[in-house]
Amino acid sequence: MTAPATDAHADGGRRRFVAPLRGQVDAGCFRHPLFDGYGEYQDLLMAPHWPDIEALNARMPASGPRFARQDAALLADGLHYEERIAHGRIATRPENWHDLFNAMVWMRHPALKHALNQQQCRHMARMGTSERSPAQQALTQFDESGVIVQVSDPSLLDLWGRHDWTTLFHANAKRWHDGGIAVVAVVGHALMEQVLVPGRLLVGKCLVVLGDPAGAVARVAASIAAGGILAAPSELRPLPLAGIPGWYAGQGEAFYAQEGYFRPLREGRVYPPPL
């Protein structure tokens, strides 16, 4: 199983994913379902040249923070990455896939990104920047690898909770198309970066909304802003994204039997109820 890349601005420890150069990327990868919610930004991905900071800021809501070129002058302010966002500047490396995808999520889901930043700053105000609480770890994991999933059929949520992957994905393939269960939004920019290399088996860290998908992202953003969720990484449900019908070639019972990717439920693991 391939783990999603870590944030360049978060504390590390993991082996960092190295993205291919812009000219080496097959533009067909941007047709992956993971990018379904980002069609209006395809030009930023497929143009022969990288967009500059001004082009990114032109796509941001006027009332939000602005992207700022990450250079020595910017970093000299001594602020933590999250603190700098609270002051209105999102440090952004030029010609960098990871930061471009992060910018796209800011453009598409600004309220959600604001909520994540506000909570990170709240925890840093209490703990400082030398340590990270379980909540900060959860916020970072969702920011990097987050997926919001809507479920209208509770029986599917039960299958997911038991890691009965073959039944959830294979036997119930049609439910991924008829509204029984669906990905509402991919918000993890590290997941997007991983798609640049074909064939990688990705795992989303999910928050689940029960019922109508309308307003699902807003509900998640409001819950994060209120501090009602993401107190610990264990709240995030893993979802092997390659198992979603139509998201990967060669799906079948043998594919879903790969325990190295479709991992069984760990003893004692219980997921929180959906929103």
Side-chain angles (χ1 to χ4, degrees):
M1 179 179 64
T2 301
T6 56
D7 192 339
H9 309 291
D11 62 342
R14 294 184 183 180
R15 186 176 181 180
R16 191 174 304 284
F17 172 75
V18 179
L21 299 175
R22 191 175 182 92
Q24 297 173 337
V25 173
D26 180 356
C29 71
F30 301 124
R31 293 192 291 270
H32 190 283
L34 186 143
F35 291 105
D36 281 353
Y38 295 89
E40 64 189 291
Y41 310 116
Q42 287 281 316
D43 60 304
L44 299 176
L45 304 175
M46 301 181 69
H49 304 292
W50 290 95
D52 57 26
I53 295 296
E54 291 73 22
L56 298 180
N57 279 325
R59 311 286 276 268
M60 279 287 278
S63 60
R66 316 312 289 168
F67 301 109
R69 183 185 181 93
Q70 181 173 305
D71 55 20
L74 181 73
L75 299 179
D77 62 13
L79 295 174
H80 185 279
Y81 173 75
E82 299 288 354
E83 293 173 320
R84 193 177 294 111
I85 293 175
H87 284 77
R89 293 176 296 172
I90 305 168
T92 303
R93 294 165 295 181
E95 301 186 8
N96 183 280
W97 284 114
H98 191 87
D99 288 11
L100 176 57
F101 292 133
N102 182 51
M104 288 169 43
V105 183
W106 268 104
M107 297 169 191
R108 183 70 180 86
H109 301 295
L112 182 64
K113 295 289 278 188
H114 273 295
L116 291 168
N117 173 249
Q118 289 166 0
Q119 288 300 312
Q120 288 281 15
C121 290
R122 182 175 70 84
H123 289 288
M124 283 191 295
R126 180 172 58 87
M127 297 184 60
T129 59
S130 61
E131 297 182 44
R132 289 171 59 80
S133 67
Q136 287 176 282
Q137 294 170 15
L139 291 162
T140 297
Q141 287 187 22
F142 185 71
D143 188 37
E144 290 289 335
S145 304
V147 178
I148 298 174
V149 178
Q150 171 266 336
V151 177
S152 61
D153 183 345
S155 69
L156 299 175
L157 191 62
D158 180 61
L159 294 172
W160 187 357
R162 292 189 281 111
H163 287 205
D164 187 349
W165 305 118
T166 301
T167 307
L168 176 65
F169 291 126
H170 189 61
N172 283 283
K174 66 178 182 179
R175 303 313 316 276
W176 289 88
H177 301 289
D178 68 5
I181 183 170
V183 170
V184 174
V186 175
V187 299
H189 53 289
L191 289 176
M192 299 177 188
E193 188 179 26
Q194 293 272 327
V195 176
L196 298 173
V197 178
R200 296 181 77 84
L201 300 178
L202 307 181
V203 177
K205 300 298 181 67
C206 302
L207 292 173
V208 183
V209 175
L210 190 64
D212 192 339
V217 177
R219 287 168 62 185
V220 169
S223 295
I224 293 173
I229 57 174
L230 296 183
S234 58
E235 293 183 27
L236 293 165
R237 289 176 178 252
L239 183 67
L241 299 177
I244 299 174
W247 280 46
Y248 194 82
Q251 293 172 332
E253 289 193 41
F255 176 69
Y256 292 115
Q258 299 179 74
E259 289 194 355
Y261 179 54
F262 297 100
R263 294 183 177 178
L265 183 66
R266 188 172 69 245
E267 185 176 358
R269 182 72 185 270
V270 178
Y271 298 109
L275 298 177

